[in-house]
Amino acid sequence: MALSGYIFDIKKYSVNDGPGIRTTVFLKGCPLVCTWCHNPESQRNEPEEIENCSFRWNLHADHSKKNTVGAKIYTDEVIREIEKDRMFYEESKGGVTFSGGEPMLQLEFLSSVLTECRTRDIHTAIDTTGYAPFSDFEKIYNSTNIFLYDLKLMDDELHYEYCGVSNKLIHENLRKLTERGEKVILRIPVIPTITATEKNISSMIEFISSLKNIREIDLLPFHNTAKSKYERMKRLSKVAELVPPTDDYMNELKNRFSLLNIPVKIGG
Ligand code: SF4
């Protein structure tokens, strides 16, 4: 039986979601509710109506559904979209990234698409919150080239307060995953006053220094481009007034993380 899943976007020619030029497939549903989320339309599992939603790719170009975010899609349909840009992947050493939300929430569907990509020799990346049973990571480990793994807040209470869940499982999974091999790129959102505090940064550096096999660290500066999405979704953005970090601060962080002897990048 053909497998299907819910996605809410496909972004072409992405250069911030892993190596090379990539197609990023965004799957719907997220177990976290981060205060600074710039994809609030990813959080619910099913398609939803959002007024004047012009910000998302629509698979069937069905104008009667122009306010619907999220569409059911079959494995072969996703593969057809991915295959359209094979030439760019080959030239840039890119591939496809599955993001969200949390792509592992739709594990069977994700796994079927990953297996197809593996058969076709297309490089795959999973952009994950890390909040999933480790057995789920094991099921897709061999068909995934890299994991783009989010690390947000080291203090568990703060993680619960700002992301809605405990960080314990996320940190345990990260340790186990890095023990298995060199497949992890860490992604750290730099959110002023929330993740970008001295205490959080130094605990993070200490934690990372205890891990093996981290391939790269990406520091992702906060930006406020989701403001209008929150307005259209009639949701309150709790970070609307936050000012993005300065270039000087980002460079200072880059220097500090570089002391771990792991390649560090600003941006994805
Ligand atoms: S994990 Fe990502 S998609 Fe999910 S709520 Fe947080 S920022 Fe949004």
Side-chain angles (χ1 to χ4, degrees):
M1 199 180 68
L3 283 173
S4 64
Y6 287 112
I7 66 164
F8 67 93
D9 203 2
I10 293 184
K11 191 165 83 187
K12 305 280 190 143
Y13 318 117
S14 165
V15 290
N16 293 316
D17 294 321
I21 297 175
R22 310 189 71 82
T23 293
T24 305
V25 180
F26 291 86
L27 284 82
K28 217 156 168 4
C30 191
L32 276 63
V33 273
C34 304
T35 308
W36 59 84
C37 183
H38 58 268
N39 282 336
E41 73 279 31
S42 72
Q43 291 171 354
R44 286 179 56 181
N45 293 349
E46 302 86 23
E48 59 194 297
E49 297 296 309
I50 299 175
E51 212 172 292
N52 296 322
C53 167
S54 55
F55 48 82
R56 286 304 171 197
W57 174 86
N58 181 335
L59 171 65
H60 302 292
D62 178 350
H63 296 296
S64 67
K65 294 196 171 150
K66 67 181 189 312
N67 287 339
T68 307
V69 174
K72 187 174 181 175
I73 190 166
Y74 288 90
T75 303
D76 58 336
E77 292 177 305
V78 188
I79 293 294
R80 261 203 303 281
E81 285 300 316
I82 293 168
E83 278 283 5
K84 284 180 187 167
D85 295 311
R86 175 183 277 278
M87 193 177 76
F88 295 102
Y89 315 146
E90 285 171 358
E91 280 176 10
S92 67
K93 295 196 171 50
V96 58
T97 298
F98 299 94
S99 184
E102 170 50 66
M104 289 202 295
L105 274 186
Q106 301 185 57
L107 193 70
E108 268 194 83
F109 169 62
L110 175 67
S111 182
S112 76
V113 183
L114 285 170
T115 305
E116 263 310 310
C117 290
R118 175 61 32 128
T119 311
R120 291 156 192 264
D121 208 17
I122 295 171
H123 184 276
T124 55
I126 306 288
D127 182 9
T128 180
T129 63
Y131 195 79
F134 192 69
S135 54
D136 287 2
F137 281 95
E138 288 178 316
K139 284 179 191 141
I140 57 168
Y141 188 83
N142 289 334
S143 49
T144 302
N145 291 101
I146 46 169
F147 292 90
L148 309 174
Y149 202 109
D150 295 354
L151 195 56
K152 298 177 169 105
L153 282 155
M154 298 308 296
D155 181 278
D156 198 29
E157 273 180 35
L158 290 178
H159 199 280
Y160 204 91
E161 181 182 340
Y162 287 105
C163 304
V165 298
S166 161
N167 63 17
K168 287 201 169 74
L169 179 66
I170 297 169
H171 295 179
E172 275 168 29
N173 284 342
L174 178 58
R175 191 172 292 286
K176 289 184 194 162
L177 201 59
T178 50
E179 277 165 4
R180 288 190 67 154
E182 208 176 314
K183 284 196 179 186
V184 171
I185 293 180
L186 282 180
R187 312 249 287 178
I188 299 172
V190 179
I191 318 294
T193 73
I194 304 177
T195 65
T197 65
E198 180 49 38
K199 193 162 179 234
N200 191 47
I201 298 295
S202 34
S203 323
M204 216 174 244
I205 290 174
E206 196 185 328
F207 177 57
I208 298 170
S209 72
S210 73
L211 300 172
K212 300 177 191 159
N213 296 326
I214 302 290
R215 200 191 269 210
E216 183 181 294
I217 298 171
D218 293 347
L219 302 171
L220 311 177
F222 169 76
H223 54 77
N224 221 337
T225 51
K227 203 171 171 182
S228 73
K229 287 188 196 173
Y230 280 88
E231 282 161 10
R232 274 182 275 181
M233 292 177 77
K234 300 186 176 34
R235 278 177 59 177
L236 182 70
S237 167
K238 295 182 189 152
V239 293
E241 305 309 323
L242 275 193
V243 177
T246 62
D247 290 350
D248 282 353
Y249 179 72
M250 291 305 298
N251 283 322
E252 189 192 310
L253 277 191
K254 185 179 175 189
N255 290 339
R256 288 184 67 184
F257 280 92
S258 297
L259 295 174
L260 291 163
N261 285 325
I262 300 168
V264 183
K265 233 169 66 184
I266 296 174

